[in-house]
Amino acid sequence: IFGRMARASLFASSLFLRARPTFSVPRQTLFTSPIVNGGGIGLRKHIDTDRNNESTPFEFTAENYKKVKEIRAKYPSNYQDGATIPLLHLAQEQVGWLPLTAMQKVAKILSIPNIRVYETATFYTMFLREPVGKHVVGVCMTTPCMLCDSQSIYKAISNHLGIGFGETTADEKFTLLELECLGACANAPMMSVGDDYYEDLTPETAVKVIEAFKNGEKPKPGPQNGKRRVAEPSGGKTSLFDDPVPPPLRTDGAL
């Protein structure tokens, strides 16, 4: 009896599935960028190129070796690997990007396996593991900037320079990167050029900033709409019109 009931139930289910109407869900086209687009520029694994392989020359300068010594002195002898990130930054500042041999040099200095340095360099997008242009332009594409139309900022810069995310201009002056949350959400949309932030952008002001760098100038960082001072409310201040009252301090000299 139970066997017949089970077969009947399966038969009814099959009829129901065959009788169900089919629905066609329209495919939504999302904004996408190339696979090679982030701060590290390249894939997470290393691929030898003519400019970046185990034969690429790298050596810290004498001045930077002094800085290496100062950095290492900040870490106990049994935690020297803590200096990995500062030394990688130092190497990148010297070259402009981070070649494979620079990572290997850091590993040798700290007496740690190469893979430990590779793991760090591939995790953080601020390490540029392929050659880049003189000016590294990073457009923030995280949610707050997206909601403020950061796509239009990217498209304006891309059309102006003739490159997309992860690419460098033929004259090697500009590299364009897609970055995630640069921490200036109150001033969205924004971009970075090197270590400086350019905020409250429009497609026109973004191109104006790029043109200034192209002409050898350095535009003033910060809001580009001429209406805001750093991250003050876009409609003007609503509070804190006077200097804040300092906290009370003891005057008996006991502190």
Side-chain angles (χ1 to χ4, degrees):
I1 293 175
F2 290 108
R4 287 196 297 270
M5 290 176 63
R7 286 195 295 273
S9 176
L10 289 172
F11 178 71
S13 298
S14 65
L15 289 177
F16 171 75
L17 291 172
R18 285 199 293 269
R20 281 194 308 171
T22 57
F23 297 94
S24 177
V25 179
R27 178 176 296 179
Q28 182 180 7
T29 301
L30 300 177
F31 177 81
T32 58
S33 53
I35 295 176
V36 181
N37 59 11
I41 299 184
L43 301 174
R44 289 308 175 198
K45 65 179 181 180
H46 171 78
I47 298 177
D48 277 356
T49 64
D50 292 341
R51 298 179 63 182
N52 189 15
N53 55 66
E54 291 192 342
S55 299
T56 302
F58 176 82
E59 186 63 77
F60 281 114
T61 63
E63 184 64 29
N64 277 342
Y65 261 119
K66 295 179 182 178
K67 294 181 181 180
V68 169
K69 186 176 181 180
E70 293 172 0
I71 291 170
R72 294 187 63 189
K74 298 177 181 179
Y75 299 88
S77 59
N78 55 331
Y79 288 107
Q80 282 291 291
D81 55 348
T84 301
I85 290 178
L87 292 186
L88 288 176
H89 274 299
L90 184 63
Q92 181 164 286
E93 288 173 5
Q94 177 177 308
V95 183
W97 57 287
L98 194 62
L100 178 67
T101 45
M103 291 185 269
Q104 293 173 346
K105 174 62 69 173
V106 169
K108 183 177 181 181
I109 289 173
L110 298 178
S111 300
I112 58 177
N114 288 342
I115 188 62
R116 295 285 299 279
V117 179
Y118 300 158
E119 290 170 343
T120 303
T122 56
F123 182 82
Y124 294 102
T125 58
M126 71 279 287
F127 292 125
L128 308 172
R129 295 178 294 104
E130 293 181 16
V132 294
K134 179 180 179 181
H135 304 293
V136 179
V137 181
V139 181
C140 180
M141 302 297 285
T142 311
T143 306
C145 283
M146 243 338 172
L147 293 174
C148 293
D149 199 17
S150 58
Q151 295 184 26
S152 68
I153 306 302
Y154 161 68
K155 291 176 182 177
I157 297 173
S158 177
N159 292 336
H160 187 70
L161 294 177
I163 57 175
F165 282 139
E167 297 178 343
T168 300
T169 54
D171 59 5
E172 296 190 349
K173 281 191 175 182
F174 294 93
T175 294
L176 184 58
L177 303 180
E178 176 183 6
L179 299 182
E180 299 300 329
C181 197
L182 295 172
C185 306
N187 297 84
M190 57 84 63
M191 67 180 182
S192 64
V193 182
D195 294 329
D196 294 316
Y197 283 7
Y198 296 88
E199 307 156 336
D200 296 299
L201 295 170
T202 64
E204 294 75 21
T205 56
V207 170
K208 185 178 179 180
V209 169
I210 297 299
E211 273 298 296
F213 278 102
K214 185 182 291 186
N215 295 328
E217 305 167 5
K218 184 178 179 180
K220 183 180 178 180
Q224 300 298 303
N225 59 5
K227 301 177 181 178
R228 300 179 72 180
R229 178 179 176 273
V230 292
E232 288 180 347
S234 57
K237 294 179 66 173
T238 59
S239 61
L240 300 177
F241 293 103
D242 300 320
D243 292 336
V245 178
L249 298 176
R250 295 179 62 168
T251 59
D252 57 6
L255 292 181

